[in-house]
Amino acid sequence: MPVTVRLPRFALKGVEAAATGACGLGLALLVGPLLPTGAAAVMAVVAVANGVLSGWRQIYPWLSRRGLLAFVLDSTWAAAPVGVGLLAHVAAACTGGGGYEASLSRRQGHHVYRRGAHLQPGFALTVGNVISSAGDLSRPRRRKLITDHEAVHVWQARWFGPAYLVLYLAWTALGAVAGVALWWRRGRTQPLGKVVESCSYYLNPFEWWAYSRDGLWPPPGLLAGIGWRKPAVRPLADVRVRRHLEVD
């Protein structure tokens, strides 16, 4: 009779971590000759670190084209935001592990922490393929925030690569200046902080995109009469329903 050998779960995770790290290094070395020496070395380090950690936690859905694409982009084109995202892992470790949420991470293409890095209380923060400060994930609304909003930022970083953080931060800075000017022009009748937040954060095209995917455009925090009225794209909930109907 044939004998079936089953490896312990930790052994399987170890194999995937080693293989993912090695493949990430291979991709980085393949792309490296196109980059300056320093940048190529940094990309290789990020690809290995991300590969080992992501492989151990088994975040990539290898059986889908989307999962393979996510890994390739994280190891090459999107290495810059992924590298910054590695710092979010460190921040989570400093808060007792950050409350890692495997149910929203394993085979989902990203890491989710209930605690960790954040810029504003109550708001999640996504950098590279790491989502921090997800909050109380027993609440359906918080889980939807992760799957339909923050996960969009993960893919924005993959598509825009090294330009993503630059563009996001540039809009934040210029939007803040525009917010002050708008506040002054409107006669200083509205709270300055809310006007600046509306212009620098909510009207950021990356946020417009993510809030639209979440079916929350306009978002509650956006002051009335400021910015775009219509969503940038269809909500993901509608896309899923349409796909389900097409399959049926």
Side-chain angles (χ1 to χ4, degrees):
M1 295 179 64
V3 178
T4 301
V5 178
R6 293 186 178 181
L7 293 175
R9 181 173 175 78
F10 76 87
L12 291 173
K13 292 175 66 174
V15 169
E16 184 167 342
T20 307
C23 290
L25 176 60
L27 288 169
L29 293 177
L30 186 64
V31 176
L34 303 175
L35 305 173
T37 303
V42 171
M43 176 182 287
V45 171
V46 169
V48 172
N50 173 71
V52 170
L53 182 56
S54 298
W56 176 259
R57 287 179 168 169
Q58 301 179 315
I59 71 163
Y60 292 113
W62 298 113
L63 298 182
S64 71
R65 287 178 294 180
R66 189 177 179 85
L68 291 172
L69 178 61
F71 171 65
V72 171
L73 292 174
D74 284 354
S75 303
T76 55
W77 172 244
V82 168
V84 178
L86 292 175
L87 299 177
H89 290 296
V90 176
C94 293
T95 58
Y100 189 73
E101 183 62 38
S103 68
L104 288 174
S105 304
R106 188 173 185 273
R107 304 306 181 207
Q108 301 301 310
H110 47 249
H111 303 267
V112 178
Y113 292 98
R114 292 189 294 275
R115 300 184 299 277
H118 64 273
L119 298 178
Q120 191 172 345
F123 282 68
L125 175 66
T126 298
V127 184
N129 58 18
V130 182
I131 301 170
S132 300
S133 294
D136 182 4
L137 293 172
S138 66
R139 296 162 51 196
R141 173 59 212 147
R142 291 302 292 189
R143 294 184 77 89
K144 186 172 183 289
L145 170 71
I146 302 307
T147 60
D148 291 20
H149 182 116
E150 300 303 330
V152 173
H153 288 317
V154 172
W155 277 97
Q156 288 171 348
R158 286 171 177 152
W159 294 132
F160 286 84
Y164 174 68
L165 292 176
V166 175
L167 292 173
Y168 192 105
L169 294 175
W171 182 281
T172 300
L174 294 175
V177 174
V180 172
L182 181 62
W183 171 76
W184 187 269
R185 183 178 179 182
R186 288 189 169 190
R188 306 179 295 284
T189 57
Q190 296 175 303
L192 174 60
K194 285 293 184 180
V195 177
V196 170
E197 182 183 50
S198 293
C199 294
S200 65
Y201 171 69
Y202 288 109
L203 296 188
N204 187 316
F206 292 114
E207 294 297 342
W208 181 30
W209 180 353
Y211 275 104
S212 297
R213 279 303 197 191
D214 197 10
L216 276 179
W217 192 265
L222 178 64
L223 287 179
I226 296 179
W228 356 107
R229 299 179 181 178
K230 296 183 178 180
V233 289
R234 294 169 54 197
L236 282 174
D238 292 352
V239 174
R240 294 188 188 106
V241 169
R242 181 174 179 178
R243 288 175 179 171
H244 179 72
L245 293 175
E246 289 176 350
V247 170
D248 290 346

